[in-house]
Amino acid sequence: MVRPLSLGELPPSYTPSARSSAPQILAGSLQAPLWLRAYFQGLLFSLGCRIQRHCGKVLFLGLVAFGALALGLRVAVIETDLEQLWVEVDSRVSQELHYTREKLGEEAAYTSQMLIQTARQAGGNVLTPEALGLHLQAALTASKVQVSLYGKSWDLNKICYKSGVPLIENGMIERMIEKLFPCVILTPLDCFWEGAKLQGGSAYLPGRPDIQWTNLDPQQLLEELGPFASLEGFRELLDKAQVGQAYVGRPCLDPDDQHCPPSAPNHHSRQTPHVARELSGGCHGFSHKFMHWQEELLLGGTARDLQGHLLRAEALQSTFLLMSPRQLYEHFRGDYQTHDIGWSEEQASTVLQAWQRRFVQLAQEALPANASQQIHAFSTTTLDDILRSFSEVSAARVVGGYLLMLAYACITMLRWDCSQSQGAVGLAGVLLVALAVASGLGLCALLGITFNAATTQVLPFLALGIGVDDVFLLAHAFTKAPPDTPLPERMGECLRRTGTSVALTSINNMVAFFMAVLVPIPALRAFSLQAAIVVGCNFVAVMLIFPAVLSLDLRRRHRQRLDVLCCFPRPCSAQVIQMLPQELGDRAVPVGITHLTATVQAFTHCDNGSRHVLTALPPQTHLLSPTSDLLGSELYGPGGSTRDLLGQEEGTGPEAACSSLLCAHWTLAHFARYQFAPLLLQTQAKALVLLFFGALLGLSLYGATLVQDGLALTDVVPRGTKEHAFLSAQLRYFSLYEVALVTQGGFDYAHSQRALFDLHQRFSSLKAVLPPPATQAPRTWLHYYRSWLQGIQAAFDQDWASGRITHHSYRNGSEDGALAYKLLIQTGNAQEPLDFNQLTTRKLVDKEGLIPPELFYMGLTVWGSSDPLGLAASQANFYPPPPEWLHDKYDTTGENLRIPAAQPLEFAQFPFLLHGLQKTADFVEAIEGARAACTEAGQAGVHAYPSGSPFLFWEQYLGLRRYFLLAVGILLVCTFLVCALLLLSPWTAGLIVLVLAMMTVELFGIMGFLGIKLSAIPVVILVASVGIGVEFTVHVALGFLTSQGSRNLRAARALEQTFAPVTDGAVSTLLGLLMLAGSSFDFIVRYFFVVLTILTLLGLLHGLLLLPVLLSILGPPPQVVQMYKESSQVLSPAAPQGGGLRWDMPPTLPQSFARVTTSMTVALHPPPLPGAYAHPTSDEPT
């Protein structure tokens, strides 16, 4: 049970005037802090007075300055490049990416367009001729796409990626090969003759029909052309690539097709091929050796029998490879087809994007709606379009959100009493915050900070909610100015009372967002910087421009004009009757008390003639002793709320039209004073609050263990769209990622071959690396290079043994034997470059499988020129590239024998496929394994790093939690220092930081229960939660510090004065966030709306429930203490039993008057006591 308040503990009003704060302080440890606060408040008072004196000028100049900054939005740049958005700044990944681009110009050699086919019935088998036929229909429709741009027609054959086009000296054959050379298309249709239908190239030879891949037999064609051209080298090239009969030697999926070639195995039998058997193990392009498409790239959701035979699959995938913009530009630069259009890389990019969009559209429409199969199409441009639409500002949602906020601000600040109404102030405040947000974003654009989806989709609403909080606080405090405050000092008094709170919350918000910059993700770093700048602009607007708005509204109130419709006078004006001490007659006054709040029975009458509300007090009154109620006497003895001046009306009469102005007094402050605080500060309620928040913290700690790392594309793309369906199918069936192991310069490749082979072996042994088929050699340049050297060495040995090659002649030998001859005689010595004695004393590859270092770079030149298919298949991407060198077996001059050595390599790569990566933990494990392999190679002198999308976008999770804990830890320390500095109470700052830490832990735990994964975006919100949480805690804490009395009384006072602005601020924040709920992106709803809404609710609960309870139990002593000498005798008249601090009421009511019970603050002016200071403050506003 709470002890009743004694007269000696009766405090003055909440937050005494700063000009009277300093004299109230006794000598002691609080003198310096209160002096500092008084000094700071004095500065704020001076600022407010100046703004009020020049409010029109300040408003005009402020609007002009903010409007000028808002024009900076015209130069805003929206970034949609994933690498620019998500690759860690200054990380090893960004450095590696920079190295790759420095050497190659572009990391990607091609772009991928994909088709995934699944059965409409979940789990249906797609390994049927009918399903393959539908896949052919969709793929064929997509492959025939044409777009017209710049007066040219662009089809697949012009823009597709072609791997390893050979150089042929015969011009006619070279032109024919250029037209016929197939595009790289990874498709299950390549197991059948129908795969040739996707290749659009054709060539013409006199006397025969158009040559296409559907009717091309390369072996037969070379035999026909043999008498007319020397094609021995080209024939050997095709033989090495194992081209054979290409597509015409494969079974027909539909043997009844009239174009099915006679060479097809099932042409004569007309039997439908066994689809599962043909697709088992994968398919081949036109080259069996270099173009093997592994089964995992073509089939998804496979099932096998006990013997490992393929039985069924649930998905098919075809991938079309296109040139990159740079490659397309280089390919057609100087070409006759583009010489008249000013061909540029931007135009090449536009062509590719237009083709890709058309590709996706036609592929998705290729199958009828009633087909048993469904097609999901996707391209890199589709992803760019999603990110671009994701980053666009929704004007409807922005306007809707701000209109909703305008309505709320106006309605909540309207009052029946026109002198207290601030509807127009609410409207102006919201519009001012909107301008501040625009100006802050414009300043960011002028500073070169790029915008992204988080900026455009979230920040306008978040900043609006945060900015309006301070508007409500200032407006609420402006109506609470003491009545004795001179009119020119009203704004100064308001800033003196609330400026500290506004500064504290704004500074903490800015520090919070600046701390989030520690998260090294460019998109979130830009968002954090923009949020900090916008919060700073809001702070300036609220502290400088909004006081000018309040000052103008004060003039409206002084001139008795209506709110909002300020051109019209108000219908009723109020006349306040001040009771002087002498009116009490000989009634006793408690010694040392300057203010008493008494409940009286008064008479009110609305004079329709003079439009005034007349209040009359009874002539006979008696002062009675205070009541001994449980909690109310302690909380509500002195300093009644100004909004309680008019109480409950008892009775009705003809004056009902005016009485509504008298009874419409209920406010949030009234609720906090009479219902909320008495209930909350009871012992049982405190125990329940502590138990509730303890349980919430415990559950949150458990939920924190459930939080997983990750952010998949399926979380970003809107659900229910075709793009989301594709990404879901891809994640389920084809979770494959192309990566590369890049070797840098700085070491000698020729002498580090063993270390390179070991590095490849270590990388291949990683769990996530997809192993090649047992029958296929590793697909790397070093293995292909060594295998090619071994092949030409074998040809040389045969020619040498048969006598076709001798010491002095190789003309009778084979093409490969002649190449080996030229390599074997190289010495690498510029003075004596050739040594014919080495023909029989050395090998191109020694017994250990290593290439002689002196031959390494010369052999690289020969291999690159003589085996273009092998070089392209290896995806080596050499830099510097080996020089071109043409081999002529019949040219035996010295110049032809000399082989130029390639320059030392600074860039090369080994390609790999990663599979089975479903969860972020799988990616992290693969990344750690790859990094460990590169570290071991570094110890052997090989400089290498992994490259690919898993390393670009998932490596951030290796240190994300560390960055998160670091940022939160630093921010909590900064918050403690800022609060301790501005509140001048480390004790209170410690309690605030404790509550903020609990909020962060609880938000993190709730994310775990909701299944929201931890990525850079939630980390920024979690870090920002510390700053946003200050909005809900610091006002209560400051109110507690500056109140007097017991802890319970001070906590109640703090709640009374801050409950309304804190609640209004929370509601305004929720209204600002409400527009995010209407986003078409589920990602925005889950990761921003849900998380920020939970944060706001947690802040409200902690600020208005937990913190007051903690302060009432553990709060620091008051910083302001009213000092007077207690008298041993307190004069008090006899009081009737059950009475309180009351005025006796008359027995009868005068005619035409209504009886009103009201709480009034009566100012008493006894002489000050010796050694004490009695300050003249009051709670009553004008």
Side-chain angles (χ1 to χ4, degrees):
M1 181 173 294
V2 180
R3 174 180 60 82
L5 185 68
S6 67
L7 287 175
E9 290 178 305
L10 285 174
S13 63
Y14 166 80
T15 312
S17 175
R19 60 190 166 194
S20 59
S21 294
Q24 299 177 48
I25 307 167
L26 285 176
S29 61
L30 290 179
Q31 281 188 345
L34 264 297
W35 182 88
L36 289 174
R37 176 172 298 155
Y39 178 76
F40 181 61
Q41 289 178 329
L43 294 178
L44 292 173
F45 177 80
S46 177
L47 174 65
C49 292
R50 287 195 178 100
I51 291 175
Q52 183 174 345
R53 197 159 46 245
H54 307 286
C55 56
K57 299 175 184 176
V58 171
L59 182 60
F60 175 76
L61 293 177
L63 293 179
V64 169
F66 276 66
L69 287 177
L71 294 177
L73 288 172
R74 300 179 60 183
V75 298
V77 177
I78 297 179
E79 182 62 73
T80 58
D81 186 349
L82 278 177
E83 292 179 1
Q84 297 297 324
L85 290 173
W86 291 104
V87 176
E88 295 183 35
V89 178
D90 297 328
S91 64
R92 59 184 177 187
V93 174
S94 64
Q95 294 171 3
E96 292 161 358
L97 187 60
H98 175 74
Y99 183 86
T100 300
R101 287 178 172 168
E102 180 185 0
K103 301 304 178 185
L104 298 185
E106 290 186 34
E107 184 185 15
Y110 49 79
T111 59
S112 301
Q113 282 57 238
M114 291 162 283
L115 299 179
I116 293 180
Q117 175 179 317
T118 58
R120 291 192 182 274
Q121 184 178 1
N125 183 26
V126 296
L127 297 186
T128 63
E130 294 76 18
L132 264 296
L134 291 173
H135 194 74
L136 172 63
Q137 179 180 339
L140 193 58
T141 301
S143 68
K144 302 303 180 185
V145 168
Q146 289 188 356
V147 294
S148 296
L149 284 174
Y150 311 115
K152 312 293 180 182
S153 180
W154 305 88
D155 58 15
L156 177 63
N157 197 52
K158 286 184 178 180
I159 65 175
C160 70
Y161 176 74
K162 299 182 179 182
S163 176
V165 181
L167 296 175
I168 305 297
E169 293 183 358
N170 188 295
M172 180 188 70
I173 301 299
E174 184 179 11
R175 287 190 296 271
M176 184 180 69
I177 290 176
E178 183 180 356
K179 292 181 179 180
L180 274 177
F181 205 82
C183 299
V184 178
I185 305 174
L186 289 69
T187 174
L189 297 170
D190 273 351
C191 283
F192 308 95
W193 166 75
E194 279 77 3
K197 293 185 177 182
L198 303 183
Q199 303 293 343
S202 64
Y204 171 75
L205 285 178
R208 57 177 301 153
D210 284 351
I211 302 174
Q212 298 177 346
W213 282 102
T214 53
N215 60 16
L216 173 61
D217 183 344
Q219 293 178 342
Q220 180 181 355
L221 179 63
L222 289 178
E223 290 177 2
E224 294 178 1
L225 295 177
F228 307 101
S230 176
L231 300 175
E232 182 180 352
F234 185 55
R235 181 181 290 106
E236 288 191 10
L237 177 66
L238 296 182
D239 289 342
K240 290 179 182 178
Q242 301 175 9
V243 173
Q245 292 183 300
Y247 290 98
V248 297
R250 302 174 189 182
C252 295
L253 187 62
D254 179 14
D256 295 326
D257 189 325
Q258 61 178 349
H259 298 292
C260 179
S263 54
N266 62 341
H267 173 76
H268 300 290
S269 65
R270 301 293 177 181
Q271 291 183 354
T272 302
H274 192 283
V275 174
R277 187 182 304 121
E278 295 292 339
L279 289 175
S280 181
C283 301
H284 296 85
F286 82 97
S287 168
H288 278 254
K289 180 177 181 180
F290 298 122
M291 297 182 177
H292 176 252
W293 323 136
Q294 291 182 241
E295 182 183 305
E296 291 81 1
L297 293 170
L298 310 177
L299 306 179
T302 57
R304 301 179 181 274
D305 60 18
L306 297 178
Q307 288 74 36
H309 299 144
L310 181 64
L311 293 178
R312 62 194 312 277
E314 297 180 9
L316 300 171
Q317 177 174 257
S318 290
T319 305
F320 295 73
L321 302 187
L322 305 184
M323 285 187 280
S324 66
R326 171 63 63 85
Q327 287 178 323
L328 184 61
Y329 165 69
E330 294 290 346
H331 181 74
F332 282 100
R333 185 175 63 173
D335 191 270
Y336 73 95
Q337 300 181 66
T338 58
H339 73 281
D340 58 338
I341 61 175
W343 184 240
S344 65
E345 191 170 344
E346 290 74 17
Q347 290 177 322
S349 179
T350 302
V351 168
L352 289 171
Q353 291 173 1
W355 194 94
Q356 289 172 327
R357 294 189 183 100
R358 188 64 176 163
F359 168 91
V360 171
Q361 178 186 356
L362 292 184
Q364 291 173 341
E365 299 171 353
L367 300 186
N370 59 352
S372 61
Q373 306 288 312
Q374 56 185 347
I375 292 292
H376 311 289
F378 198 77
S379 72
T380 52
T381 298
T382 305
L383 181 58
D384 293 338
D385 290 342
I386 290 173
L387 292 175
R388 191 172 292 108
S389 63
F390 188 30
S391 303
E392 290 177 354
V393 179
S394 174
R397 285 196 292 115
V398 171
V399 172
Y402 279 70
L403 287 177
L404 189 62
M405 188 70 74
L406 284 168
Y408 175 78
C410 182
I411 292 172
T412 56
M413 299 178 73
L414 278 174
R415 297 289 182 272
W416 286 110
D417 183 356
C418 299
S419 65
Q420 300 292 324
S421 184
Q422 295 179 299
V425 168
L427 294 175
V430 173
L431 293 175
L432 178 61
V433 170
L435 178 61
V437 172
S439 63
L441 293 176
L443 178 59
C444 293
L446 294 174
L447 293 175
I449 304 175
T450 58
F451 288 31
N452 55 66
T455 305
T456 58
Q457 297 285 334
V458 178
L459 191 54
F461 307 104
L462 178 62
L464 174 65
I466 294 176
V468 172
D469 292 354
D470 293 331
V471 168
F472 281 119
L473 183 65
L474 278 178
H476 181 81
F478 194 65
T479 63
K480 295 291 186 180
D484 61 337
T485 305
L487 192 65
E489 298 180 3
R490 285 293 182 89
M491 198 62 247
E493 189 65 29
C494 178
L495 284 186
R496 172 157 36 200
R497 289 167 174 259
T498 59
T500 302
S501 294
V502 173
L504 189 55
T505 55
S506 299
I507 290 173
N508 271 282
N509 275 325
M510 286 189 286
V511 171
F513 284 114
F514 277 127
M515 285 300 101
V517 175
L518 291 175
V519 180
I521 306 300
L524 282 309
R525 180 168 287 186
F527 172 79
S528 301
L529 286 174
Q530 289 161 344
I533 293 173
V534 168
V535 169
C537 289
N538 275 340
F539 176 57
V540 173
V542 171
M543 290 294 286
L544 296 181
I545 304 178
F546 188 64
V549 175
L550 288 173
S551 300
L552 290 175
D553 186 68
L554 182 62
R555 297 183 180 182
R556 188 269 308 170
R557 292 161 57 191
H558 184 66
R559 295 171 183 173
Q560 300 182 358
R561 299 284 182 174
L562 283 176
D563 190 16
V564 182
L565 303 175
C566 56
C567 295
F568 301 96
R570 57 189 180 185
C572 291
S573 58
Q575 179 179 357
V576 179
I577 302 174
Q578 183 176 6
M579 297 181 61
L580 299 177
Q582 56 267 27
E583 296 181 26
L584 295 175
D586 57 353
R587 305 297 179 229
V589 181
V591 177
I593 300 304
T594 60
H595 292 73
L596 288 178
T597 298
T599 301
V600 303
Q601 296 291 337
F603 307 109
T604 61
H605 172 66
C606 184
D607 187 346
N608 293 326
S610 61
R611 297 189 302 174
H612 282 73
V613 177
L614 305 178
T615 303
L617 296 179
Q620 300 293 330
T621 58
H622 300 284
L623 183 62
L624 305 180
S625 60
T627 181
S628 59
D629 61 319
L630 181 64
L631 189 59
S633 63
E634 182 175 355
L635 300 184
Y636 311 120
S641 174
T642 57
R643 297 190 181 185
D644 299 328
L645 178 60
L646 299 177
Q648 300 174 358
E649 180 181 352
E650 299 177 3
T652 59
E655 297 80 9
C658 194
S659 65
S660 62
L661 296 176
L662 304 176
C663 65
H665 70 282
W666 188 95
T667 61
L668 288 173
H670 181 277
F671 169 75
R673 176 185 178 93
Y674 289 104
Q675 283 88 33
F676 184 73
L679 177 62
L680 177 65
L681 296 177
Q682 294 183 23
T683 304
Q684 298 89 339
K686 292 180 185 179
L688 288 176
V689 168
L690 294 177
L691 182 63
F692 169 75
F693 281 97
L696 179 60
L697 181 61
L699 285 174
S700 300
L701 289 172
Y702 170 72
T705 63
L706 305 178
V707 177
Q708 298 180 354
D709 295 345
L711 178 64
L713 271 178
T714 50
D715 296 328
V716 177
V717 177
R719 296 182 184 274
T721 60
K722 295 179 180 179
E723 293 79 10
H724 187 274
F726 172 87
L727 292 171
S728 299
Q730 185 186 47
L731 182 63
R732 179 178 180 183
Y733 296 117
F734 299 101
S735 186
L736 293 170
Y737 296 87
E738 293 184 357
V739 300
L741 183 59
V742 175
T743 51
Q744 303 171 260
F747 70 97
D748 188 356
Y749 280 70
H751 290 87
S752 303
Q753 297 175 59
R754 176 57 60 197
L756 289 170
F757 282 120
D758 292 342
L759 172 60
H760 177 269
Q761 181 59 38
R762 279 193 296 269
F763 206 93
S764 301
S765 62
L766 296 179
K767 173 185 173 182
V769 173
L770 181 66
T775 58
Q776 183 179 348
R779 190 165 55 95
T780 71
W781 68 268
L782 194 54
H783 290 86
Y784 281 159
Y785 178 26
R786 183 177 65 178
S787 176
W788 178 81
L789 287 176
Q790 290 172 333
I792 64 173
Q793 178 71 60
F796 173 83
D797 291 342
Q798 281 187 329
D799 290 343
W800 183 270
S802 62
R804 291 192 295 272
I805 292 181
T806 64
H807 273 89
H808 305 289
S809 175
Y810 54 81
R811 297 184 60 178
N812 296 326
S814 61
E815 290 285 338
D816 284 351
L819 285 174
Y821 179 96
K822 293 181 178 181
L823 278 174
L824 287 170
I825 62 176
Q826 305 298 316
T827 64
N829 188 337
Q831 302 297 328
E832 296 182 2
L834 305 177
D835 184 359
F836 294 92
N837 295 324
Q838 295 179 155
L839 286 171
T840 56
T841 59
R842 72 190 309 183
K843 297 289 185 181
L844 297 178
V845 179
D846 63 22
K847 296 179 180 179
E848 296 181 359
L850 302 179
I851 304 167
E854 62 273 14
L855 290 178
F856 186 86
Y857 285 108
M858 288 180 285
L860 205 60
T861 298
V862 177
W863 176 57
S865 300
S866 303
D867 189 17
L869 289 176
L871 178 61
S874 72
Q875 301 179 37
N877 282 337
F878 289 135
Y879 181 84
E884 290 187 1
W885 179 78
L886 291 177
H887 163 63
D888 184 358
K889 187 176 70 171
Y890 301 101
D891 184 358
T892 58
T893 62
E895 287 299 323
N896 187 261
L897 290 177
R898 294 187 180 92
I899 300 174
Q903 297 182 47
L905 293 176
E906 298 178 18
F907 185 98
Q909 62 183 24
F910 298 150
F912 292 94
L913 281 175
L914 302 184
H915 70 128
L917 303 181
Q918 297 287 338
K919 300 179 180 178
T920 302
D922 301 329
F923 286 94
V924 170
E925 181 183 357
I927 292 170
E928 289 176 341
R931 291 294 181 184
C934 293
T935 301
E936 291 184 25
Q939 297 173 356
V942 175
H943 308 305
Y945 61 85
S947 176
S949 58
F951 304 97
L952 288 178
F953 306 122
W954 274 271
E955 184 148 343
Q956 59 179 284
Y957 295 104
L958 294 179
L960 184 63
R961 297 202 176 212
R962 183 178 70 254
Y963 287 124
F964 166 53
L965 293 176
L966 176 65
V968 170
I970 294 176
L971 181 54
L972 288 175
V973 172
C974 292
T975 301
F976 174 81
L977 295 176
V978 172
C979 290
L981 179 64
L982 295 183
L983 292 179
L984 305 171
S985 173
W987 189 340
T988 307
L991 289 177
I992 291 175
V993 167
L994 173 63
V995 173
L996 295 177
M998 290 180 60
M999 284 177 53
T1000 304
V1001 172
E1002 289 160 6
L1003 179 61
F1004 190 69
I1006 292 174
M1007 284 172 47
F1009 287 116
L1010 295 178
I1012 297 177
K1013 298 177 181 178
L1014 185 68
S1015 62
I1017 292 176
V1019 163
V1020 168
I1021 296 178
L1022 286 165
V1023 173
S1025 68
V1026 178
I1028 296 174
V1030 174
E1031 296 274 355
F1032 302 98
T1033 55
V1034 73
H1035 307 310
V1036 177
L1038 185 58
F1040 181 85
L1041 279 175
T1042 54
S1043 295
Q1044 301 172 24
S1046 67
R1047 286 192 175 105
N1048 273 352
L1049 178 59
R1050 293 159 59 207
R1053 283 290 185 202
L1055 280 173
E1056 177 192 354
Q1057 294 297 322
T1058 61
F1059 189 90
V1062 169
T1063 304
D1064 285 338
V1067 174
S1068 67
T1069 302
L1070 290 175
L1071 288 176
L1073 297 175
L1074 185 61
M1075 291 298 101
L1076 298 179
S1079 174
S1080 59
F1081 290 89
D1082 183 66
F1083 169 77
I1084 292 290
V1085 177
R1086 282 173 54 83
Y1087 283 81
F1088 284 101
F1089 171 71
V1090 172
V1091 175
L1092 288 172
T1093 299
I1094 293 172
L1095 170 60
T1096 304
L1097 295 176
L1098 285 176
L1100 194 62
L1101 291 175
H1102 285 76
L1104 298 181
L1105 286 178
L1106 179 60
L1107 184 59
V1109 169
L1110 290 178
L1111 289 172
S1112 69
I1113 299 173
L1114 304 172
Q1119 291 182 341
V1120 181
V1121 181
Q1122 173 103 16
M1123 298 305 301
Y1124 55 86
K1125 293 182 179 179
E1126 292 195 22
S1127 174
S1128 59
Q1129 180 182 10
V1130 178
L1131 303 177
S1132 169
Q1137 289 210 336
L1141 192 57
R1142 305 252 181 226
W1143 296 90
D1144 277 354
M1145 52 185 163
T1148 60
L1149 200 63
Q1151 187 177 5
S1152 76
F1153 277 77
R1155 186 190 310 171
V1156 178
T1157 302
T1158 181
S1159 174
M1160 303 189 71
T1161 298
V1162 182
L1164 307 178
H1165 304 278
L1169 297 174
Y1173 178 85
H1175 65 88
T1177 57
S1178 173
D1179 272 335
E1180 297 302 324
T1182 57

